[in-house]
Amino acid sequence: MFSESAQPFDLSATDRVTAYGAKDFPGVEAMLPDSAFLAEDDGRFPADVVLLFVATAADLAHELATAAAAVEPGGSLWVCYPTADVDGGAPDLNRDTVASLFEANSWEPVGDAKLSAEWSAVHGRPAES
C-alpha cells in the first residue's frame, strides 16, 4: 500500500499520485506512496493527487501551473516545502505564501499539514467558479 508518512496526504489505495520535484530533495521519496509516479520536469502526468516539492517561492511560482495542470477533475494538489527551521529552508515560503499563489492561480487552499520535522505542505483544489 503506502508508507505511514504518506498519511498526511489523505490518499486512498486507488488514488493515482504524481510527484513533481521529489527527485530534487533527498529523503522525500520516503513520504510518497509506493505507487507514486515521479514526474520529470516540464511534463504533464495526470493524477488524482499531485504533490509538488519546492524550496522557494520563486520555484513555486514557476512550477505551480505545470503541477496544477496535471490534477484530474475532482483531484487535489499538495505543495510541499521545507520548513524555515531547516538549514536551507526558504524564509520566503510558508503556508501564507502558498495560499496567496494558489489564489492567484484560481486555486483555493483547503488545509495544511506538517509532513515531518523538515517538511510542511498546503493542500489545495481548484476554486469554484
Side-chain angles (χ1 to χ4, degrees), residues 93-110:
L93 190 56
N94 55 48
R95 83 173 160 220
D96 294 335
T97 307
V98 175
S100 177
L101 284 168
F102 266 154
E103 291 166 357
N105 286 277
S106 300
W107 280 71
E108 63 183 353
V110 294

mmCIF file with all atom_site columns, all heavy atoms in Angstrom, residues 93-110:
data_model
loop_
_atom_site.group_PDB
_atom_site.id
_atom_site.type_symbol
_atom_site.label_atom_id
_atom_site.label_alt_id
_atom_site.label_comp_id
_atom_site.label_asym_id
_atom_site.label_entity_id
_atom_site.label_seq_id
_atom_site.pdbx_PDB_ins_code
_atom_site.Cartn_x
_atom_site.Cartn_y
_atom_site.Cartn_z
_atom_site.occupancy
_atom_site.B_iso_or_equiv
_atom_site.pdbx_formal_charge
_atom_site.auth_seq_id
_atom_site.auth_comp_id
_atom_site.auth_asym_id
_atom_site.auth_atom_id
_atom_site.pdbx_PDB_model_num
ATOM 1   N N   . LEU A 1 93  ? 8.990   31.152 1.863   1.00 0.00 ? 93  LEU A N   1
ATOM 2   C CA  . LEU A 1 93  ? 7.984   30.158 1.510   1.00 0.00 ? 93  LEU A CA  1
ATOM 3   C C   . LEU A 1 93  ? 7.362   29.598 2.783   1.00 0.00 ? 93  LEU A C   1
ATOM 4   O O   . LEU A 1 93  ? 8.033   28.995 3.614   1.00 0.00 ? 93  LEU A O   1
ATOM 5   C CB  . LEU A 1 93  ? 8.620   29.033 0.692   1.00 0.00 ? 93  LEU A CB  1
ATOM 6   C CG  . LEU A 1 93  ? 7.681   28.038 0.030   1.00 0.00 ? 93  LEU A CG  1
ATOM 7   C CD1 . LEU A 1 93  ? 6.676   28.748 -0.866  1.00 0.00 ? 93  LEU A CD1 1
ATOM 8   C CD2 . LEU A 1 93  ? 8.476   27.046 -0.799  1.00 0.00 ? 93  LEU A CD2 1
ATOM 9   N N   . ASN A 1 94  ? 6.079   29.863 2.939   1.00 0.00 ? 94  ASN A N   1
ATOM 10  C CA  . ASN A 1 94  ? 5.330   29.374 4.097   1.00 0.00 ? 94  ASN A CA  1
ATOM 11  C C   . ASN A 1 94  ? 3.883   29.190 3.655   1.00 0.00 ? 94  ASN A C   1
ATOM 12  O O   . ASN A 1 94  ? 3.551   29.394 2.498   1.00 0.00 ? 94  ASN A O   1
ATOM 13  C CB  . ASN A 1 94  ? 5.446   30.353 5.277   1.00 0.00 ? 94  ASN A CB  1
ATOM 14  C CG  . ASN A 1 94  ? 5.008   31.757 4.904   1.00 0.00 ? 94  ASN A CG  1
ATOM 15  O OD1 . ASN A 1 94  ? 3.950   31.956 4.314   1.00 0.00 ? 94  ASN A OD1 1
ATOM 16  N ND2 . ASN A 1 94  ? 5.826   32.750 5.221   1.00 0.00 ? 94  ASN A ND2 1
ATOM 17  N N   . ARG A 1 95  ? 3.020   28.797 4.573   1.00 0.00 ? 95  ARG A N   1
ATOM 18  C CA  . ARG A 1 95  ? 1.646   28.492 4.152   1.00 0.00 ? 95  ARG A CA  1
ATOM 19  C C   . ARG A 1 95  ? 0.923   29.717 3.601   1.00 0.00 ? 95  ARG A C   1
ATOM 20  O O   . ARG A 1 95  ? 0.091   29.598 2.707   1.00 0.00 ? 95  ARG A O   1
ATOM 21  C CB  . ARG A 1 95  ? 0.880   27.816 5.284   1.00 0.00 ? 95  ARG A CB  1
ATOM 22  C CG  . ARG A 1 95  ? 0.311   28.718 6.277   1.00 0.00 ? 95  ARG A CG  1
ATOM 23  C CD  . ARG A 1 95  ? -0.564  27.980 7.267   1.00 0.00 ? 95  ARG A CD  1
ATOM 24  N NE  . ARG A 1 95  ? -0.650  28.854 8.401   1.00 0.00 ? 95  ARG A NE  1
ATOM 25  C CZ  . ARG A 1 95  ? -0.612  28.491 9.650   1.00 0.00 ? 95  ARG A CZ  1
ATOM 26  N NH1 . ARG A 1 95  ? -0.546  27.238 9.960   1.00 0.00 ? 95  ARG A NH1 1
ATOM 27  N NH2 . ARG A 1 95  ? -0.662  29.367 10.605  1.00 0.00 ? 95  ARG A NH2 1
ATOM 28  N N   . ASP A 1 96  ? 1.244   30.916 4.093   1.00 0.00 ? 96  ASP A N   1
ATOM 29  C CA  . ASP A 1 96  ? 0.601   32.124 3.567   1.00 0.00 ? 96  ASP A CA  1
ATOM 30  C C   . ASP A 1 96  ? 1.046   32.411 2.130   1.00 0.00 ? 96  ASP A C   1
ATOM 31  O O   . ASP A 1 96  ? 0.242   32.813 1.291   1.00 0.00 ? 96  ASP A O   1
ATOM 32  C CB  . ASP A 1 96  ? 0.899   33.322 4.462   1.00 0.00 ? 96  ASP A CB  1
ATOM 33  C CG  . ASP A 1 96  ? 0.274   33.175 5.839   1.00 0.00 ? 96  ASP A CG  1
ATOM 34  O OD1 . ASP A 1 96  ? -0.731  32.444 5.973   1.00 0.00 ? 96  ASP A OD1 1
ATOM 35  O OD2 . ASP A 1 96  ? 0.805   33.774 6.800   1.00 0.00 ? 96  ASP A OD2 1
ATOM 36  N N   . THR A 1 97  ? 2.329   32.209 1.861   1.00 0.00 ? 97  THR A N   1
ATOM 37  C CA  . THR A 1 97  ? 2.847   32.395 0.505   1.00 0.00 ? 97  THR A CA  1
ATOM 38  C C   . THR A 1 97  ? 2.198   31.412 -0.453  1.00 0.00 ? 97  THR A C   1
ATOM 39  O O   . THR A 1 97  ? 1.773   31.778 -1.555  1.00 0.00 ? 97  THR A O   1
ATOM 40  C CB  . THR A 1 97  ? 4.380   32.187 0.479   1.00 0.00 ? 97  THR A CB  1
ATOM 41  O OG1 . THR A 1 97  ? 4.990   33.007 1.462   1.00 0.00 ? 97  THR A OG1 1
ATOM 42  C CG2 . THR A 1 97  ? 4.952   32.511 -0.886  1.00 0.00 ? 97  THR A CG2 1
ATOM 43  N N   . VAL A 1 98  ? 2.116   30.135 -0.031  1.00 0.00 ? 98  VAL A N   1
ATOM 44  C CA  . VAL A 1 98  ? 1.493   29.114 -0.874  1.00 0.00 ? 98  VAL A CA  1
ATOM 45  C C   . VAL A 1 98  ? 0.029   29.458 -1.117  1.00 0.00 ? 98  VAL A C   1
ATOM 46  O O   . VAL A 1 98  ? -0.452  29.411 -2.253  1.00 0.00 ? 98  VAL A O   1
ATOM 47  C CB  . VAL A 1 98  ? 1.633   27.711 -0.250  1.00 0.00 ? 98  VAL A CB  1
ATOM 48  C CG1 . VAL A 1 98  ? 0.883   26.671 -1.078  1.00 0.00 ? 98  VAL A CG1 1
ATOM 49  C CG2 . VAL A 1 98  ? 3.103   27.325 -0.113  1.00 0.00 ? 98  VAL A CG2 1
ATOM 50  N N   . ALA A 1 99  ? -0.688  29.839 -0.064  1.00 0.00 ? 99  ALA A N   1
ATOM 51  C CA  . ALA A 1 99  ? -2.106  30.191 -0.201  1.00 0.00 ? 99  ALA A CA  1
ATOM 52  C C   . ALA A 1 99  ? -2.282  31.356 -1.169  1.00 0.00 ? 99  ALA A C   1
ATOM 53  O O   . ALA A 1 99  ? -3.183  31.345 -2.018  1.00 0.00 ? 99  ALA A O   1
ATOM 54  C CB  . ALA A 1 99  ? -2.697  30.527 1.157   1.00 0.00 ? 99  ALA A CB  1
ATOM 55  N N   . SER A 1 100 ? -1.426  32.343 -1.089  1.00 0.00 ? 100 SER A N   1
ATOM 56  C CA  . SER A 1 100 ? -1.511  33.500 -1.973  1.00 0.00 ? 100 SER A CA  1
ATOM 57  C C   . SER A 1 100 ? -1.281  33.097 -3.433  1.00 0.00 ? 100 SER A C   1
ATOM 58  O O   . SER A 1 100 ? -2.010  33.540 -4.330  1.00 0.00 ? 100 SER A O   1
ATOM 59  C CB  . SER A 1 100 ? -0.482  34.543 -1.546  1.00 0.00 ? 100 SER A CB  1
ATOM 60  O OG  . SER A 1 100 ? -0.502  35.635 -2.423  1.00 0.00 ? 100 SER A OG  1
ATOM 61  N N   . LEU A 1 101 ? -0.289  32.246 -3.675  1.00 0.00 ? 101 LEU A N   1
ATOM 62  C CA  . LEU A 1 101 ? -0.029  31.796 -5.040  1.00 0.00 ? 101 LEU A CA  1
ATOM 63  C C   . LEU A 1 101 ? -1.142  30.881 -5.554  1.00 0.00 ? 101 LEU A C   1
ATOM 64  O O   . LEU A 1 101 ? -1.479  30.921 -6.735  1.00 0.00 ? 101 LEU A O   1
ATOM 65  C CB  . LEU A 1 101 ? 1.333   31.123 -5.128  1.00 0.00 ? 101 LEU A CB  1
ATOM 66  C CG  . LEU A 1 101 ? 2.506   32.106 -5.110  1.00 0.00 ? 101 LEU A CG  1
ATOM 67  C CD1 . LEU A 1 101 ? 3.828   31.390 -4.912  1.00 0.00 ? 101 LEU A CD1 1
ATOM 68  C CD2 . LEU A 1 101 ? 2.534   32.919 -6.397  1.00 0.00 ? 101 LEU A CD2 1
ATOM 69  N N   . PHE A 1 102 ? -1.713  30.073 -4.671  1.00 0.00 ? 102 PHE A N   1
ATOM 70  C CA  . PHE A 1 102 ? -2.879  29.278 -5.066  1.00 0.00 ? 102 PHE A CA  1
ATOM 71  C C   . PHE A 1 102 ? -3.974  30.208 -5.573  1.00 0.00 ? 102 PHE A C   1
ATOM 72  O O   . PHE A 1 102 ? -4.513  30.029 -6.656  1.00 0.00 ? 102 PHE A O   1
ATOM 73  C CB  . PHE A 1 102 ? -3.433  28.486 -3.871  1.00 0.00 ? 102 PHE A CB  1
ATOM 74  C CG  . PHE A 1 102 ? -2.922  27.078 -3.726  1.00 0.00 ? 102 PHE A CG  1
ATOM 75  C CD1 . PHE A 1 102 ? -2.912  26.477 -2.474  1.00 0.00 ? 102 PHE A CD1 1
ATOM 76  C CD2 . PHE A 1 102 ? -2.495  26.317 -4.796  1.00 0.00 ? 102 PHE A CD2 1
ATOM 77  C CE1 . PHE A 1 102 ? -2.481  25.175 -2.309  1.00 0.00 ? 102 PHE A CE1 1
ATOM 78  C CE2 . PHE A 1 102 ? -2.058  25.010 -4.649  1.00 0.00 ? 102 PHE A CE2 1
ATOM 79  C CZ  . PHE A 1 102 ? -2.051  24.440 -3.395  1.00 0.00 ? 102 PHE A CZ  1
ATOM 80  N N   . GLU A 1 103 ? -4.334  31.194 -4.763  1.00 0.00 ? 103 GLU A N   1
ATOM 81  C CA  . GLU A 1 103 ? -5.434  32.084 -5.098  1.00 0.00 ? 103 GLU A CA  1
ATOM 82  C C   . GLU A 1 103 ? -5.166  32.866 -6.380  1.00 0.00 ? 103 GLU A C   1
ATOM 83  O O   . GLU A 1 103 ? -6.072  33.088 -7.185  1.00 0.00 ? 103 GLU A O   1
ATOM 84  C CB  . GLU A 1 103 ? -5.721  33.012 -3.925  1.00 0.00 ? 103 GLU A CB  1
ATOM 85  C CG  . GLU A 1 103 ? -6.307  32.234 -2.748  1.00 0.00 ? 103 GLU A CG  1
ATOM 86  C CD  . GLU A 1 103 ? -6.302  32.993 -1.435  1.00 0.00 ? 103 GLU A CD  1
ATOM 87  O OE1 . GLU A 1 103 ? -5.793  34.140 -1.380  1.00 0.00 ? 103 GLU A OE1 1
ATOM 88  O OE2 . GLU A 1 103 ? -6.807  32.425 -0.448  1.00 0.00 ? 103 GLU A OE2 1
ATOM 89  N N   . ALA A 1 104 ? -3.915  33.257 -6.603  1.00 0.00 ? 104 ALA A N   1
ATOM 90  C CA  . ALA A 1 104 ? -3.558  33.980 -7.824  1.00 0.00 ? 104 ALA A CA  1
ATOM 91  C C   . ALA A 1 104 ? -3.669  33.097 -9.068  1.00 0.00 ? 104 ALA A C   1
ATOM 92  O O   . ALA A 1 104 ? -3.702  33.609 -10.186 1.00 0.00 ? 104 ALA A O   1
ATOM 93  C CB  . ALA A 1 104 ? -2.141  34.529 -7.706  1.00 0.00 ? 104 ALA A CB  1
ATOM 94  N N   . ASN A 1 105 ? -3.734  31.784 -8.858  1.00 0.00 ? 105 ASN A N   1
ATOM 95  C CA  . ASN A 1 105 ? -3.825  30.830 -9.968  1.00 0.00 ? 105 ASN A CA  1
ATOM 96  C C   . ASN A 1 105 ? -5.159  30.091 -9.990  1.00 0.00 ? 105 ASN A C   1
ATOM 97  O O   . ASN A 1 105 ? -5.254  28.977 -10.506 1.00 0.00 ? 105 ASN A O   1
ATOM 98  C CB  . ASN A 1 105 ? -2.661  29.840 -9.884  1.00 0.00 ? 105 ASN A CB  1
ATOM 99  C CG  . ASN A 1 105 ? -1.367  30.463 -10.307 1.00 0.00 ? 105 ASN A CG  1
ATOM 100 O OD1 . ASN A 1 105 ? -1.063  30.532 -11.486 1.00 0.00 ? 105 ASN A OD1 1
ATOM 101 N ND2 . ASN A 1 105 ? -0.600  30.960 -9.337  1.00 0.00 ? 105 ASN A ND2 1
ATOM 102 N N   . SER A 1 106 ? -6.191  30.692 -9.404  1.00 0.00 ? 106 SER A N   1
ATOM 103 C CA  . SER A 1 106 ? -7.556  30.139 -9.382  1.00 0.00 ? 106 SER A CA  1
ATOM 104 C C   . SER A 1 106 ? -7.656  28.814 -8.628  1.00 0.00 ? 106 SER A C   1
ATOM 105 O O   . SER A 1 106 ? -8.412  27.918 -9.014  1.00 0.00 ? 106 SER A O   1
ATOM 106 C CB  . SER A 1 106 ? -8.103  29.987 -10.810 1.00 0.00 ? 106 SER A CB  1
ATOM 107 O OG  . SER A 1 106 ? -8.139  31.248 -11.435 1.00 0.00 ? 106 SER A OG  1
ATOM 108 N N   . TRP A 1 107 ? -6.894  28.683 -7.570  1.00 0.00 ? 107 TRP A N   1
ATOM 109 C CA  . TRP A 1 107 ? -6.963  27.535 -6.665  1.00 0.00 ? 107 TRP A CA  1
ATOM 110 C C   . TRP A 1 107 ? -7.297  28.067 -5.284  1.00 0.00 ? 107 TRP A C   1
ATOM 111 O O   . TRP A 1 107 ? -7.118  29.250 -4.996  1.00 0.00 ? 107 TRP A O   1
ATOM 112 C CB  . TRP A 1 107 ? -5.616  26.804 -6.635  1.00 0.00 ? 107 TRP A CB  1
ATOM 113 C CG  . TRP A 1 107 ? -5.444  25.910 -7.811  1.00 0.00 ? 107 TRP A CG  1
ATOM 114 C CD1 . TRP A 1 107 ? -5.235  26.297 -9.108  1.00 0.00 ? 107 TRP A CD1 1
ATOM 115 C CD2 . TRP A 1 107 ? -5.510  24.499 -7.818  1.00 0.00 ? 107 TRP A CD2 1
ATOM 116 N NE1 . TRP A 1 107 ? -5.155  25.196 -9.915  1.00 0.00 ? 107 TRP A NE1 1
ATOM 117 C CE2 . TRP A 1 107 ? -5.315  24.079 -9.148  1.00 0.00 ? 107 TRP A CE2 1
ATOM 118 C CE3 . TRP A 1 107 ? -5.698  23.543 -6.823  1.00 0.00 ? 107 TRP A CE3 1
ATOM 119 C CZ2 . TRP A 1 107 ? -5.308  22.735 -9.508  1.00 0.00 ? 107 TRP A CZ2 1
ATOM 120 C CZ3 . TRP A 1 107 ? -5.677  22.205 -7.189  1.00 0.00 ? 107 TRP A CZ3 1
ATOM 121 C CH2 . TRP A 1 107 ? -5.498  21.815 -8.523  1.00 0.00 ? 107 TRP A CH2 1
ATOM 122 N N   . GLU A 1 108 ? -7.777  27.194 -4.419  1.00 0.00 ? 108 GLU A N   1
ATOM 123 C CA  . GLU A 1 108 ? -8.041  27.597 -3.050  1.00 0.00 ? 108 GLU A CA  1
ATOM 124 C C   . GLU A 1 108 ? -7.356  26.636 -2.087  1.00 0.00 ? 108 GLU A C   1
ATOM 125 O O   . GLU A 1 108 ? -7.380  25.436 -2.292  1.00 0.00 ? 108 GLU A O   1
ATOM 126 C CB  . GLU A 1 108 ? -9.537  27.671 -2.764  1.00 0.00 ? 108 GLU A CB  1
ATOM 127 C CG  . GLU A 1 108 ? -10.274 26.368 -2.894  1.00 0.00 ? 108 GLU A CG  1
ATOM 128 C CD  . GLU A 1 108 ? -11.768 26.528 -2.658  1.00 0.00 ? 108 GLU A CD  1
ATOM 129 O OE1 . GLU A 1 108 ? -12.237 27.606 -2.263  1.00 0.00 ? 108 GLU A OE1 1
ATOM 130 O OE2 . GLU A 1 108 ? -12.476 25.546 -2.874  1.00 0.00 ? 108 GLU A OE2 1
ATOM 131 N N   . PRO A 1 109 ? -6.721  27.200 -1.058  1.00 0.00 ? 109 PRO A N   1
ATOM 132 C CA  . PRO A 1 109 ? -6.129  26.336 -0.042  1.00 0.00 ? 109 PRO A CA  1
ATOM 133 C C   . PRO A 1 109 ? -7.242  25.743 0.820   1.00 0.00 ? 109 PRO A C   1
ATOM 134 O O   . PRO A 1 109 ? -8.204  26.439 1.150   1.00 0.00 ? 109 PRO A O   1
ATOM 135 C CB  . PRO A 1 109 ? -5.244  27.286 0.765   1.00 0.00 ? 109 PRO A CB  1
ATOM 136 C CG  . PRO A 1 109 ? -5.836  28.633 0.546   1.00 0.00 ? 109 PRO A CG  1
ATOM 137 C CD  . PRO A 1 109 ? -6.500  28.609 -0.800  1.00 0.00 ? 109 PRO A CD  1
ATOM 138 N N   . VAL A 1 110 ? -7.129  24.461 1.129   1.00 0.00 ? 110 VAL A N   1
ATOM 139 C CA  . VAL A 1 110 ? -8.168  23.814 1.939   1.00 0.00 ? 110 VAL A CA  1
ATOM 140 C C   . VAL A 1 110 ? -7.610  23.183 3.205   1.00 0.00 ? 110 VAL A C   1
ATOM 141 O O   . VAL A 1 110 ? -8.359  22.616 3.993   1.00 0.00 ? 110 VAL A O   1
ATOM 142 C CB  . VAL A 1 110 ? -8.959  22.756 1.131   1.00 0.00 ? 110 VAL A CB  1
ATOM 143 C CG1 . VAL A 1 110 ? -9.753  23.422 0.020   1.00 0.00 ? 110 VAL A CG1 1
ATOM 144 C CG2 . VAL A 1 110 ? -8.049  21.684 0.564   1.00 0.00 ? 110 VAL A CG2 1
#
